Amino acid sequence: MKPRLYLAVSAAIAVSTVYFAQPLLVTMGQDLGLSTSTVGVFVTVTQIGYVLGLFFLVPLGDRLPRRRLIRTQFVLLAGALLIVGFAQNAVMLLIGLAAVGGLAVVTQSVVAFGASLSAPAERGRTVGAITTGVVLGILLARTASGALTDVAGWRAIYLVACALCLLIAATLVKSPPQPRTDLSYGALLRSIIDLWREEPLFRITGLRAFFIFASFSTLWSAVALPLTDEGLSHTAIGAFGLIGAAGAIVSGPAGRLADRGFGQRVTLIAALLLVASWAVIVWTPKSLLALAIGAVVLDLATGAIHVTNQSRIYPLRPDAGSRLIGGYMIFYSIGSGLGAIASTWLYVRAGWTGVSVLGAAFGIGALLTTVPAGRRTSRASRPSGSSPSRSSGSRRPAARTSGS
């Protein structure tokens, strides 16, 4: 298997562990005695763990050998999945899900790993390929978990994922020695704040990530509720993730367009599509075809924006790639968590129409962060080799290389 494809598959498996629960919310809640209005907490606690992992673990990729770090995280992720698979009460399950979220950030370490191995002219293509894997992993997680639950119960998917994570840890592709920062761990974390303060493009893409994934999570966290009300099986509910995955194939081409300087244009068009998708999705209770069409458009838009965002921020500070990707993804995780808990809460009180209004509002937020961005002169337009040299987040500290 080619390294780029291998990394895409690895990222897909890692990120899928965060989303297995979404089509199973009702079933898991009933098994543990929780009401429908509170099952969104399963997704939210996972996203809280993800946020913490993004801040405390992903930046280590700029300081430690990335291959060794990635292998360790996959082993620990396997352990967290084992806890979820054997959870006997809500507390144990929530602890396991929080650990899964915190360790699934290995996905972002894989993205930064792939970007660091690529030449500048190929970086967008590599990030696009891995991001395609990420988006497919997010969507197909629902299909796999739904189908396997109907056959062997909801715990089975977590045990299968545990085995796959161990397999990845044992077979991870090798890499040549890479530069590493000499910053202490504390300085490494503080430098994320420096990057936020000093890089306008980093700030705006982070905010955009919050909105696009809040909209994305609004659909995929709540859609199991009306479909369950219609009597659909877990397999049928999960199949909508498979349908939506058709939109994810745009991530690769979006990365290539970003390499050619069309990232802003792609982002604007995708933001418009994201808003428009909810005008179709709102008809879900009356037409499953509307859900299928709307899901494809929403996933297409989300994947395109996500890959162009990452392709544009990595050149800001190539020596701080893990911190940039990790800091950006913090906003992704906050948006996903908010979309999950808000949509399931709102469905009980305002039905699917209320959920659709919420999703569209998040989409409008993404559009508003995109339009003014086109009027600014971004520092990302400077050559990737020209990096400013001020402050702890800006300095290119003496780097060392080591084997992975």
Side-chain angles (χ1 to χ4, degrees):
M1 186 182 294
K2 294 181 179 180
R4 185 181 292 157
L5 178 58
Y6 182 93
L7 292 176
V9 172
S10 300
I13 292 172
V15 77
S16 68
T17 63
V18 178
Y19 295 92
F20 287 148
Q22 289 191 354
L24 314 178
L25 292 177
V26 175
T27 298
M28 293 172 73
Q30 291 174 345
D31 190 25
L32 298 170
L34 299 177
S35 67
T36 299
S37 63
T38 60
V39 292
V41 72
F42 293 148
V43 177
T44 301
V45 74
T46 309
Q47 293 297 338
I48 291 173
Y50 204 84
V51 170
L52 295 175
L54 288 168
F55 187 79
F56 290 105
L57 294 181
V58 174
L60 286 172
D62 290 332
R63 193 171 193 276
L64 303 177
R66 283 197 179 113
R67 182 172 181 267
R68 188 183 306 166
L69 178 64
I70 290 170
R71 293 181 69 184
T72 301
Q73 285 182 282
F74 267 112
V75 171
L76 294 176
L77 177 58
L81 290 165
L82 204 60
I83 292 174
V84 174
F86 286 104
Q88 297 300 309
N89 53 63
V91 173
M92 186 176 177
L93 178 66
L94 291 175
I95 291 173
L97 288 174
V100 166
L103 293 163
V105 296
V106 67
T107 303
Q108 307 316 316
S109 297
V110 171
V111 174
F113 185 50
S116 69
L117 295 178
S118 303
E122 292 287 317
R123 190 169 291 135
R125 183 180 179 186
T126 299
V127 172
I130 298 175
T131 301
T132 297
V134 171
V135 177
L136 287 174
I138 292 172
L139 296 171
L140 297 182
R142 300 170 177 85
T143 305
S145 63
L148 197 54
T149 295
D150 282 337
V151 174
W154 66 265
R155 300 172 188 274
I157 188 64
Y158 289 97
L159 300 179
V160 170
C162 171
L164 291 175
C165 287
L166 291 175
L167 179 62
I168 293 171
T171 60
L172 187 65
V173 294
K174 294 183 179 180
S175 68
Q178 296 177 314
R180 292 188 280 139
T181 182
D182 283 321
L183 289 174
S184 68
Y185 181 62
L188 199 68
L189 298 182
R190 289 192 297 272
S191 69
I192 299 176
I193 308 301
D194 293 334
L195 290 169
W196 168 262
R197 186 179 66 250
E198 296 167 6
E199 296 290 354
L201 183 60
F202 181 47
R203 291 197 298 270
I204 201 69
T205 53
L207 187 58
R208 190 181 302 126
F210 166 83
F211 283 118
I212 63 171
F213 282 102
S215 185
F216 182 90
S217 184
T218 293
L219 172 63
W220 292 113
S221 295
V223 72
L225 303 179
L227 297 184
T228 300
D229 290 344
E230 292 295 321
L232 272 68
S233 67
H234 296 106
T235 301
I237 295 172
F240 282 96
L242 183 62
I243 294 170
I249 61 175
V250 75
S251 298
R256 290 192 287 273
L257 287 171
D259 283 339
R260 297 172 186 173
F262 298 108
Q264 174 62 26
R265 188 175 303 175
V266 170
T267 302
L268 179 58
I269 293 172
L272 290 168
L273 289 174
L274 179 62
V275 177
S277 69
W278 284 100
V280 182
I281 293 170
V282 68
W283 297 100
T284 292
K286 296 182 179 180
S287 171
L288 295 182
L289 178 61
L291 172 60
I293 294 172
V296 169
V297 175
L298 181 141
D299 294 343
L300 182 154
T302 302
I305 297 173
H306 188 40
V307 71
T308 53
N309 275 353
Q310 293 182 94
S311 296
R312 294 174 72 196
I313 64 173
Y314 189 89
L316 293 171
R317 310 279 179 87
D319 59 305
S322 291
R323 281 166 283 168
L324 282 167
I325 297 298
Y328 163 82
M329 291 299 295
I330 287 174
F331 294 92
Y332 146 92
S333 193
I334 294 173
S336 293
L338 178 62
I341 198 166
S343 60
T344 53
W345 179 87
L346 192 60
Y347 178 77
V348 175
R349 291 157 178 78
W352 190 251
T353 299
V355 171
S356 298
V357 170
L358 177 67
F362 285 135
I364 291 172
L367 180 61
L368 292 177
T369 66
T370 301
V371 175
R375 300 188 188 123
R376 299 191 186 107
T377 301
S378 171
R379 294 171 64 183
S381 62
R382 63 175 182 258
S384 60
S386 61
S387 185
S389 56
R390 62 180 196 282
S391 89
S392 61
S394 309
R395 290 194 305 269
R396 185 184 294 275
R400 62 184 187 279
T401 59
S402 71
S404 303

